[in-house]
Amino acid sequence: MNLRAVLLGVLVTSACGTASPPEPAVPPPSAPVVATDPRVGELETTIRELTDRMEVMQARLEAMEDVVQSTRSVQQNPSSPAARTEVERTTTRQAAVVDASNSYREAQIMFGRGQIENARTAFEQVFRTDPVGDLADNALYWIGETYFVMGQYRSAIRVYDRIVRDFSNQNKAPDAMLRKGQALVKLGDLALAREVFSELVDRYSWSPAASAAEGELVRIRY
């Protein structure tokens, strides 16, 4: 089961507690359906932050595992120049991953403090450092977010499109599609937004972003 889906289930259960759900209100035929509980949005943000932290840890662990494997290779073949070269390469790689991980966390702190331009520069540096690594799609996603929060929706959409195109199998692709649809709503293009949300539900039905997209489809139905 997808880790993010599990986290969403746990957090939703925790937030909702044991209180009985309110009876649903039936809107008049011409009225839009009431938006979903705002706590869902808060939970989605929490999951996003937890996932980012886990991916930073995963990137570091994978780099450390590479070093361990290379070291074992040298121990098994102490006279092999190729083995020693591989150790040097993986050690350098580990250092780069650790630096990128630290820079990524610092960029997130900047973003949280409202230092949007500085955060964008830091996320761009993370991406340039390791454009195909575990944090590449995360860095791009937050670059898109810096544009989104500043109301530069078309620039944000270009970044989200790149994530979906180049990192379609990575964690941030569903989130990028969701944010693209929301950016289109901000721009007033509801027809295209509906297409994006529908595609998200079809392609990434397992993701929390798909659940959010279903809510968006209800919200902008009219």
Side-chain angles (χ1 to χ4, degrees):
M1 180 179 294
N2 181 270
L3 180 57
R4 298 185 70 206
V6 173
L7 283 172
L8 179 61
V10 173
L11 290 171
V12 168
T13 302
S14 176
C16 295
T18 58
S20 300
E23 295 184 3
V26 180
S30 60
V33 178
V34 177
T36 57
D37 192 323
R39 289 178 296 177
V40 174
E42 296 175 3
L43 292 172
E44 174 65 18
T45 299
T46 300
I47 289 173
R48 186 179 302 152
E49 293 173 350
L50 289 172
T51 303
D52 284 341
R53 292 177 185 176
M54 287 188 290
E55 290 185 347
V56 168
M57 294 174 63
Q58 179 180 352
R60 291 182 176 182
L61 287 173
E62 289 178 352
M64 292 175 64
E65 289 173 357
D66 288 342
V67 172
V68 170
Q69 291 176 0
S70 297
T71 302
R72 287 175 179 170
S73 178
V74 170
Q75 291 173 344
Q76 295 171 357
N77 303 281
S79 61
S80 171
R84 295 184 179 279
T85 299
E86 181 64 16
V87 169
E88 294 175 359
R89 186 190 68 80
T90 53
T91 301
T92 301
R93 164 70 175 163
Q94 182 194 30
V97 169
V98 171
D99 288 344
S101 300
N102 292 337
S103 297
Y104 181 81
R105 292 301 301 156
E106 291 172 2
Q108 285 189 313
I109 292 172
M110 293 178 194
F111 185 93
R113 291 176 176 172
Q115 301 170 3
I116 305 303
E117 295 287 353
N118 291 339
R120 182 185 303 150
T121 299
F123 284 123
E124 289 172 343
Q125 179 59 41
V126 171
F127 182 77
R128 286 194 297 268
T129 299
D130 195 8
V132 295
D134 292 330
L135 295 178
D137 60 318
N138 296 62
L140 277 179
Y141 176 82
W142 285 101
I143 291 170
E145 290 293 273
T146 64
Y147 287 117
F148 190 100
V149 299
M150 295 184 71
Q152 300 175 19
Y153 301 117
R154 297 191 187 282
S155 295
I157 288 171
R158 284 194 291 271
V159 179
Y160 298 143
D161 280 340
R162 183 176 181 183
I163 297 170
V164 175
R165 182 187 70 239
D166 297 343
F167 300 92
S168 61
N169 295 323
Q170 299 300 315
N171 173 68
K172 286 301 180 184
D175 292 334
M177 288 191 73
L178 176 64
R179 291 303 261 173
K180 176 184 178 179
Q182 292 171 338
L184 288 167
V185 171
K186 295 287 188 181
L187 292 170
D189 195 341
L190 300 187
L192 185 54
R194 281 192 287 269
E195 290 181 12
V196 172
F197 290 137
S198 296
E199 183 183 358
L200 168 55
V201 172
D202 290 340
R203 291 180 62 178
Y204 302 103
S205 59
W206 49 265
S207 69
S211 299
E214 291 175 341
E216 293 284 359
L217 285 169
V218 171
R219 187 174 68 84
I220 64 174
R221 179 183 300 168
Y222 298 93

Short mmCIF file of all heavy atoms in Angstrom, two decimals, residues 83-139:
data_model
loop_
_atom_site.label_atom_id
_atom_site.label_comp_id
_atom_site.label_asym_id
_atom_site.label_seq_id
_atom_site.Cartn_x
_atom_site.Cartn_y
_atom_site.Cartn_z
N ALA A 83 37.82 -0.98 -7.71
CA ALA A 83 37.02 -0.98 -6.49
C ALA A 83 37.29 0.27 -5.67
O ALA A 83 36.37 0.88 -5.12
CB ALA A 83 37.32 -2.23 -5.66
N ARG A 84 38.56 0.66 -5.58
CA ARG A 84 38.90 1.86 -4.83
C ARG A 84 38.31 3.11 -5.49
O ARG A 84 37.85 4.04 -4.82
CB ARG A 84 40.41 1.97 -4.69
CG ARG A 84 41.02 0.86 -3.85
CD ARG A 84 42.52 1.05 -3.65
NE ARG A 84 43.05 -0.02 -2.82
CZ ARG A 84 42.98 -0.04 -1.49
NH1 ARG A 84 42.40 0.96 -0.85
NH2 ARG A 84 43.50 -1.05 -0.81
N THR A 85 38.34 3.14 -6.81
CA THR A 85 37.75 4.28 -7.53
C THR A 85 36.26 4.37 -7.26
O THR A 85 35.70 5.46 -7.11
CB THR A 85 38.00 4.13 -9.04
OG1 THR A 85 39.40 4.11 -9.28
CG2 THR A 85 37.36 5.27 -9.80
N GLU A 86 35.61 3.20 -7.19
CA GLU A 86 34.17 3.18 -6.92
C GLU A 86 33.87 3.70 -5.53
O GLU A 86 32.88 4.41 -5.32
CB GLU A 86 33.63 1.76 -7.07
CG GLU A 86 32.14 1.62 -6.85
CD GLU A 86 31.32 2.38 -7.86
OE1 GLU A 86 31.85 2.78 -8.92
OE2 GLU A 86 30.11 2.60 -7.60
N VAL A 87 34.71 3.38 -4.56
CA VAL A 87 34.52 3.89 -3.20
C VAL A 87 34.62 5.42 -3.20
O VAL A 87 33.80 6.11 -2.58
CB VAL A 87 35.56 3.29 -2.24
CG1 VAL A 87 35.52 4.04 -0.91
CG2 VAL A 87 35.26 1.82 -2.01
N GLU A 88 35.62 5.93 -3.89
CA GLU A 88 35.78 7.39 -3.95
C GLU A 88 34.57 8.04 -4.61
O GLU A 88 34.09 9.09 -4.17
CB GLU A 88 37.05 7.74 -4.72
CG GLU A 88 38.33 7.29 -4.02
CD GLU A 88 39.57 7.55 -4.87
OE1 GLU A 88 39.41 8.04 -6.00
OE2 GLU A 88 40.69 7.25 -4.40
N ARG A 89 34.08 7.40 -5.67
CA ARG A 89 32.93 7.96 -6.38
C ARG A 89 31.69 7.98 -5.49
O ARG A 89 30.97 8.99 -5.42
CB ARG A 89 32.64 7.14 -7.64
CG ARG A 89 31.54 7.74 -8.53
CD ARG A 89 31.13 6.77 -9.61
NE ARG A 89 30.45 5.61 -9.06
CZ ARG A 89 29.16 5.61 -8.71
NH1 ARG A 89 28.43 6.70 -8.83
NH2 ARG A 89 28.61 4.52 -8.21
N THR A 90 31.41 6.87 -4.82
CA THR A 90 30.21 6.80 -4.00
C THR A 90 30.33 7.68 -2.76
O THR A 90 29.33 8.23 -2.29
CB THR A 90 29.93 5.35 -3.57
OG1 THR A 90 31.09 4.79 -2.95
CG2 THR A 90 29.54 4.50 -4.76
N THR A 91 31.54 7.82 -2.23
CA THR A 91 31.73 8.73 -1.09
C THR A 91 31.44 10.17 -1.49
O THR A 91 30.79 10.92 -0.75
CB THR A 91 33.16 8.60 -0.54
OG1 THR A 91 33.41 7.25 -0.14
CG2 THR A 91 33.36 9.52 0.66
N THR A 92 31.93 10.54 -2.66
CA THR A 92 31.65 11.88 -3.17
C THR A 92 30.15 12.06 -3.39
O THR A 92 29.58 13.11 -3.08
CB THR A 92 32.40 12.13 -4.49
OG1 THR A 92 33.80 11.98 -4.26
CG2 THR A 92 32.10 13.51 -5.05
N ARG A 93 29.53 11.01 -3.91
CA ARG A 93 28.08 11.04 -4.14
C ARG A 93 27.33 11.20 -2.83
O ARG A 93 26.37 11.98 -2.74
CB ARG A 93 27.66 9.75 -4.83
CG ARG A 93 26.19 9.43 -4.82
CD ARG A 93 25.40 10.34 -5.69
NE ARG A 93 24.00 9.95 -5.75
CZ ARG A 93 23.04 10.73 -6.17
NH1 ARG A 93 23.31 11.95 -6.59
NH2 ARG A 93 21.78 10.30 -6.20
N GLN A 94 27.75 10.49 -1.80
CA GLN A 94 27.09 10.60 -0.51
C GLN A 94 27.18 12.02 0.03
O GLN A 94 26.20 12.57 0.55
CB GLN A 94 27.70 9.62 0.50
CG GLN A 94 26.99 9.67 1.86
CD GLN A 94 27.79 8.99 2.95
OE1 GLN A 94 29.01 8.99 2.88
NE2 GLN A 94 27.11 8.43 3.92
N ALA A 95 28.35 12.60 -0.09
CA ALA A 95 28.53 13.97 0.40
C ALA A 95 27.61 14.94 -0.34
O ALA A 95 27.02 15.84 0.27
CB ALA A 95 29.98 14.40 0.23
N ALA A 96 27.46 14.73 -1.65
CA ALA A 96 26.58 15.59 -2.44
C ALA A 96 25.13 15.43 -2.02
O ALA A 96 24.38 16.42 -1.92
CB ALA A 96 26.74 15.28 -3.93
N VAL A 97 24.71 14.19 -1.75
CA VAL A 97 23.33 13.93 -1.32
C VAL A 97 23.06 14.57 0.03
O VAL A 97 22.01 15.18 0.25
CB VAL A 97 23.06 12.42 -1.26
CG1 VAL A 97 21.74 12.13 -0.56
CG2 VAL A 97 23.04 11.84 -2.67
N VAL A 98 24.01 14.44 0.95
CA VAL A 98 23.84 15.04 2.27
C VAL A 98 23.75 16.56 2.15
O VAL A 98 22.89 17.20 2.78
CB VAL A 98 25.00 14.65 3.20
CG1 VAL A 98 24.95 15.45 4.50
CG2 VAL A 98 24.95 13.15 3.51
N ASP A 99 24.61 17.15 1.33
CA ASP A 99 24.55 18.60 1.13
C ASP A 99 23.21 19.02 0.54
O ASP A 99 22.61 20.02 0.96
CB ASP A 99 25.69 19.05 0.21
CG ASP A 99 27.05 19.00 0.89
OD1 ASP A 99 27.08 18.91 2.14
OD2 ASP A 99 28.08 19.02 0.18
N ALA A 100 22.74 18.26 -0.46
CA ALA A 100 21.45 18.58 -1.09
C ALA A 100 20.31 18.43 -0.08
O ALA A 100 19.38 19.25 -0.07
CB ALA A 100 21.22 17.67 -2.29
N SER A 101 20.39 17.41 0.77
CA SER A 101 19.34 17.20 1.78
C SER A 101 19.30 18.36 2.76
O SER A 101 18.23 18.86 3.12
CB SER A 101 19.58 15.89 2.53
OG SER A 101 19.57 14.79 1.64
N ASN A 102 20.47 18.79 3.21
CA ASN A 102 20.53 19.92 4.14
C ASN A 102 20.02 21.20 3.48
O ASN A 102 19.27 21.97 4.10
CB ASN A 102 21.96 20.12 4.62
CG ASN A 102 22.44 18.98 5.51
OD1 ASN A 102 21.63 18.27 6.11
ND2 ASN A 102 23.74 18.79 5.59
N SER A 103 20.41 21.41 2.23
CA SER A 103 19.95 22.60 1.51
C SER A 103 18.44 22.56 1.30
O SER A 103 17.77 23.59 1.37
CB SER A 103 20.67 22.70 0.15
OG SER A 103 22.06 22.86 0.33
N TYR A 104 17.92 21.37 1.07
CA TYR A 104 16.48 21.22 0.86
C TYR A 104 15.71 21.61 2.12
O TYR A 104 14.71 22.33 2.05
CB TYR A 104 16.20 19.77 0.48
CG TYR A 104 14.75 19.46 0.20
CD1 TYR A 104 14.17 19.76 -1.02
CD2 TYR A 104 13.96 18.83 1.17
CE1 TYR A 104 12.84 19.46 -1.28
CE2 TYR A 104 12.64 18.52 0.92
CZ TYR A 104 12.09 18.85 -0.31
OH TYR A 104 10.77 18.55 -0.54
N ARG A 105 16.18 21.14 3.25
CA ARG A 105 15.51 21.48 4.52
C ARG A 105 15.61 22.97 4.79
O ARG A 105 14.64 23.60 5.25
CB ARG A 105 16.14 20.69 5.67
CG ARG A 105 15.87 19.21 5.62
CD ARG A 105 14.39 18.89 5.66
NE ARG A 105 13.75 19.42 6.87
CZ ARG A 105 12.47 19.71 6.99
NH1 ARG A 105 11.67 19.56 5.94
NH2 ARG A 105 11.97 20.16 8.12
N GLU A 106 16.76 23.56 4.51
CA GLU A 106 16.91 25.01 4.71
C GLU A 106 15.97 25.79 3.80
O GLU A 106 15.39 26.80 4.20
CB GLU A 106 18.37 25.41 4.44
CG GLU A 106 19.34 24.88 5.50
CD GLU A 106 20.79 25.13 5.11
OE1 GLU A 106 21.02 25.73 4.04
OE2 GLU A 106 21.68 24.70 5.87
N ALA A 107 15.81 25.30 2.58
CA ALA A 107 14.90 25.96 1.63
C ALA A 107 13.46 25.88 2.13
O ALA A 107 12.69 26.84 2.00
CB ALA A 107 15.03 25.32 0.26
N GLN A 108 13.09 24.74 2.70
CA GLN A 108 11.74 24.60 3.24
C GLN A 108 11.51 25.56 4.42
O GLN A 108 10.42 26.12 4.56
CB GLN A 108 11.50 23.17 3.69
CG GLN A 108 11.27 22.20 2.55
CD GLN A 108 10.82 20.84 3.04
OE1 GLN A 108 11.40 20.29 3.97
NE2 GLN A 108 9.80 20.30 2.41
N ILE A 109 12.53 25.74 5.22
CA ILE A 109 12.42 26.68 6.34
C ILE A 109 12.22 28.09 5.81
O ILE A 109 11.38 28.87 6.31
CB ILE A 109 13.66 26.60 7.23
CG1 ILE A 109 13.70 25.24 7.96
CG2 ILE A 109 13.68 27.73 8.25
CD1 ILE A 109 14.98 24.98 8.71
N MET A 110 12.98 28.47 4.79
CA MET A 110 12.81 29.79 4.17
C MET A 110 11.39 29.97 3.65
O MET A 110 10.75 31.01 3.85
CB MET A 110 13.80 29.96 3.02
CG MET A 110 15.25 30.04 3.42
SD MET A 110 16.31 30.18 1.93
CE MET A 110 17.91 29.82 2.63
N PHE A 111 10.89 28.92 2.98
CA PHE A 111 9.54 28.99 2.43
C PHE A 111 8.52 29.20 3.55
O PHE A 111 7.61 30.03 3.44
CB PHE A 111 9.24 27.71 1.66
CG PHE A 111 7.91 27.72 0.95
CD1 PHE A 111 7.82 28.14 -0.36
CD2 PHE A 111 6.76 27.29 1.60
CE1 PHE A 111 6.60 28.14 -1.02
CE2 PHE A 111 5.53 27.29 0.96
CZ PHE A 111 5.45 27.71 -0.36
N GLY A 112 8.68 28.43 4.63
CA GLY A 112 7.76 28.55 5.75
C GLY A 112 7.80 29.91 6.41
O GLY A 112 6.79 30.35 6.98
N ARG A 113 8.92 30.58 6.34
CA ARG A 113 9.06 31.92 6.92
C ARG A 113 8.64 33.03 5.97
O ARG A 113 8.73 34.20 6.30
CB ARG A 113 10.51 32.14 7.36
CG ARG A 113 10.93 31.27 8.55
CD ARG A 113 12.39 31.46 8.88
NE ARG A 113 12.76 30.70 10.07
CZ ARG A 113 14.02 30.56 10.50
NH1 ARG A 113 15.02 31.14 9.83
NH2 ARG A 113 14.27 29.85 11.59
N GLY A 114 8.20 32.64 4.78
CA GLY A 114 7.77 33.64 3.82
C GLY A 114 8.87 34.25 2.99
O GLY A 114 8.63 35.21 2.25
N GLN A 115 10.07 33.66 3.06
CA GLN A 115 11.20 34.16 2.25
C GLN A 115 11.16 33.44 0.89
O GLN A 115 12.01 32.60 0.58
CB GLN A 115 12.51 33.89 2.99
CG GLN A 115 12.58 34.56 4.36
CD GLN A 115 13.78 34.10 5.18
OE1 GLN A 115 14.60 33.31 4.72
NE2 GLN A 115 13.86 34.59 6.41
N ILE A 116 10.17 33.80 0.11
CA ILE A 116 9.83 33.02 -1.07
C ILE A 116 10.93 33.06 -2.14
O ILE A 116 11.30 32.02 -2.70
CB ILE A 116 8.49 33.50 -1.67
CG1 ILE A 116 7.39 33.47 -0.60
CG2 ILE A 116 8.10 32.63 -2.86
CD1 ILE A 116 7.18 32.12 0.03
N GLU A 117 11.45 34.22 -2.43
CA GLU A 117 12.49 34.32 -3.46
C GLU A 117 13.74 33.56 -3.06
O GLU A 117 14.34 32.85 -3.87
CB GLU A 117 12.82 35.80 -3.72
CG GLU A 117 11.69 36.61 -4.33
CD GLU A 117 11.45 36.26 -5.78
OE1 GLU A 117 12.23 35.48 -6.35
OE2 GLU A 117 10.46 36.76 -6.36
N ASN A 118 14.14 33.70 -1.80
CA ASN A 118 15.31 32.98 -1.32
C ASN A 118 15.07 31.48 -1.35
O ASN A 118 15.98 30.69 -1.68
CB ASN A 118 15.66 33.42 0.10
CG ASN A 118 16.18 34.84 0.16
OD1 ASN A 118 16.67 35.38 -0.84
ND2 ASN A 118 16.09 35.47 1.32
N ALA A 119 13.86 31.08 -1.00
CA ALA A 119 13.53 29.65 -1.02
C ALA A 119 13.62 29.11 -2.44
O ALA A 119 14.15 28.01 -2.66
CB ALA A 119 12.13 29.43 -0.44
N ARG A 120 13.11 29.87 -3.39
CA ARG A 120 13.16 29.41 -4.78
C ARG A 120 14.61 29.22 -5.24
O ARG A 120 14.95 28.21 -5.86
CB ARG A 120 12.47 30.39 -5.71
CG ARG A 120 12.46 29.93 -7.18
CD ARG A 120 11.86 31.00 -8.07
NE ARG A 120 10.53 31.35 -7.62
CZ ARG A 120 9.98 32.55 -7.77
NH1 ARG A 120 10.67 33.52 -8.35
NH2 ARG A 120 8.76 32.79 -7.35
N THR A 121 15.46 30.18 -4.92
CA THR A 121 16.86 30.06 -5.28
C THR A 121 17.49 28.82 -4.67
O THR A 121 18.25 28.09 -5.32
CB THR A 121 17.64 31.31 -4.83
OG1 THR A 121 17.09 32.47 -5.48
CG2 THR A 121 19.11 31.20 -5.17
N ALA A 122 17.15 28.54 -3.41
CA ALA A 122 17.71 27.38 -2.71
C ALA A 122 17.19 26.07 -3.33
O ALA A 122 17.96 25.12 -3.52
CB ALA A 122 17.35 27.44 -1.23
N PHE A 123 15.91 26.01 -3.65
CA PHE A 123 15.36 24.81 -4.27
C PHE A 123 15.97 24.60 -5.66
O PHE A 123 16.23 23.45 -6.06
CB PHE A 123 13.84 24.90 -4.38
CG PHE A 123 13.12 24.67 -3.08
CD1 PHE A 123 12.24 25.62 -2.58
CD2 PHE A 123 13.31 23.49 -2.37
CE1 PHE A 123 11.55 25.40 -1.39
CE2 PHE A 123 12.63 23.26 -1.17
CZ PHE A 123 11.76 24.24 -0.68
N GLU A 124 16.20 25.66 -6.38
CA GLU A 124 16.83 25.54 -7.70
C GLU A 124 18.24 24.99 -7.57
O GLU A 124 18.68 24.19 -8.41
CB GLU A 124 16.85 26.90 -8.39
CG GLU A 124 15.48 27.37 -8.86
CD GLU A 124 15.47 28.80 -9.37
OE1 GLU A 124 16.43 29.54 -9.08
OE2 GLU A 124 14.50 29.19 -10.03
N GLN A 125 18.95 25.39 -6.52
CA GLN A 125 20.29 24.88 -6.29
C GLN A 125 20.26 23.38 -5.96
O GLN A 125 21.10 22.61 -6.43
CB GLN A 125 20.97 25.64 -5.16
CG GLN A 125 22.38 25.17 -4.83
CD GLN A 125 23.32 25.26 -6.03
OE1 GLN A 125 23.29 26.24 -6.77
NE2 GLN A 125 24.17 24.26 -6.22
N VAL A 126 19.27 22.98 -5.17
CA VAL A 126 19.12 21.56 -4.86
C VAL A 126 18.89 20.76 -6.14
O VAL A 126 19.50 19.71 -6.34
CB VAL A 126 17.94 21.34 -3.88
CG1 VAL A 126 17.64 19.85 -3.72
CG2 VAL A 126 18.25 21.96 -2.53
N PHE A 127 18.05 21.28 -7.01
CA PHE A 127 17.76 20.56 -8.25
C PHE A 127 18.99 20.48 -9.15
O PHE A 127 19.28 19.43 -9.73
CB PHE A 127 16.61 21.23 -9.00
CG PHE A 127 16.23 20.53 -10.27
CD1 PHE A 127 15.49 19.37 -10.24
CD2 PHE A 127 16.65 21.01 -11.51
CE1 PHE A 127 15.14 18.69 -11.40
CE2 PHE A 127 16.32 20.35 -12.68
CZ PHE A 127 15.57 19.19 -12.63
N ARG A 128 19.72 21.57 -9.25
CA ARG A 128 20.93 21.56 -10.08
C ARG A 128 21.98 20.60 -9.53
O ARG A 128 22.72 19.97 -10.29
CB ARG A 128 21.51 22.97 -10.19
CG ARG A 128 20.73 23.90 -11.09
CD ARG A 128 21.54 25.14 -11.42
NE ARG A 128 21.83 25.91 -10.22
CZ ARG A 128 21.06 26.91 -9.76
NH1 ARG A 128 19.93 27.21 -10.40
NH2 ARG A 128 21.39 27.57 -8.68
N THR A 129 22.04 20.48 -8.21
CA THR A 129 23.02 19.59 -7.59
C THR A 129 22.76 18.13 -7.94
O THR A 129 23.70 17.36 -8.17
CB THR A 129 23.00 19.76 -6.06
OG1 THR A 129 23.35 21.12 -5.74
CG2 THR A 129 24.00 18.82 -5.39
N ASP A 130 21.50 17.75 -8.01
CA ASP A 130 21.16 16.35 -8.27
C ASP A 130 19.87 16.27 -9.07
O ASP A 130 18.81 15.95 -8.52
CB ASP A 130 21.02 15.62 -6.93
CG ASP A 130 21.04 14.11 -7.11
OD1 ASP A 130 21.32 13.64 -8.22
OD2 ASP A 130 20.77 13.39 -6.12
N PRO A 131 19.90 16.58 -10.37
CA PRO A 131 18.68 16.69 -11.18
C PRO A 131 17.96 15.37 -11.45
O PRO A 131 16.86 15.40 -12.00
CB PRO A 131 19.18 17.32 -12.48
CG PRO A 131 20.61 16.92 -12.56
CD PRO A 131 21.11 16.90 -11.14
N VAL A 132 18.58 14.25 -11.09
CA VAL A 132 17.91 12.96 -11.29
C VAL A 132 17.81 12.17 -9.98
O VAL A 132 17.44 10.99 -10.00
CB VAL A 132 18.65 12.11 -12.36
CG1 VAL A 132 18.58 12.78 -13.71
CG2 VAL A 132 20.10 11.87 -11.96
N GLY A 133 18.12 12.79 -8.88
CA GLY A 133 18.12 12.10 -7.60
C GLY A 133 16.74 12.04 -6.96
O GLY A 133 15.74 12.48 -7.52
N ASP A 134 16.71 11.50 -5.75
CA ASP A 134 15.45 11.30 -5.05
C ASP A 134 14.75 12.60 -4.70
O ASP A 134 13.53 12.61 -4.51
CB ASP A 134 15.68 10.49 -3.77
CG ASP A 134 16.11 9.07 -4.06
OD1 ASP A 134 15.68 8.54 -5.11
OD2 ASP A 134 16.87 8.49 -3.27
N LEU A 135 15.50 13.68 -4.57
CA LEU A 135 14.90 14.95 -4.17
C LEU A 135 14.63 15.87 -5.37
O LEU A 135 14.14 16.98 -5.18
CB LEU A 135 15.81 15.68 -3.18
CG LEU A 135 16.02 14.99 -1.84
CD1 LEU A 135 16.97 15.79 -0.97
CD2 LEU A 135 14.68 14.79 -1.12
N ALA A 136 14.92 15.41 -6.57
CA ALA A 136 14.78 16.28 -7.75
C ALA A 136 13.33 16.72 -7.95
O ALA A 136 13.04 17.91 -8.12
CB ALA A 136 15.29 15.57 -9.00
N ASP A 137 12.39 15.75 -7.92
CA ASP A 137 11.00 16.13 -8.13
C ASP A 137 10.46 16.96 -6.97
O ASP A 137 9.64 17.86 -7.17
CB ASP A 137 10.13 14.89 -8.36
CG ASP A 137 10.15 13.93 -7.18
OD1 ASP A 137 11.23 13.70 -6.61
OD2 ASP A 137 9.08 13.38 -6.84
N ASN A 138 10.96 16.69 -5.75
CA ASN A 138 10.55 17.50 -4.61
C ASN A 138 10.99 18.95 -4.77
O ASN A 138 10.22 19.88 -4.51
CB ASN A 138 11.15 16.92 -3.32
CG ASN A 138 10.64 15.54 -3.00
OD1 ASN A 138 10.84 14.60 -3.76
ND2 ASN A 138 9.96 15.40 -1.88
N ALA A 139 12.25 19.12 -5.19
CA ALA A 139 12.77 20.48 -5.36
C ALA A 139 11.97 21.22 -6.42
O ALA A 139 11.60 22.39 -6.24
CB ALA A 139 14.25 20.43 -5.72
#
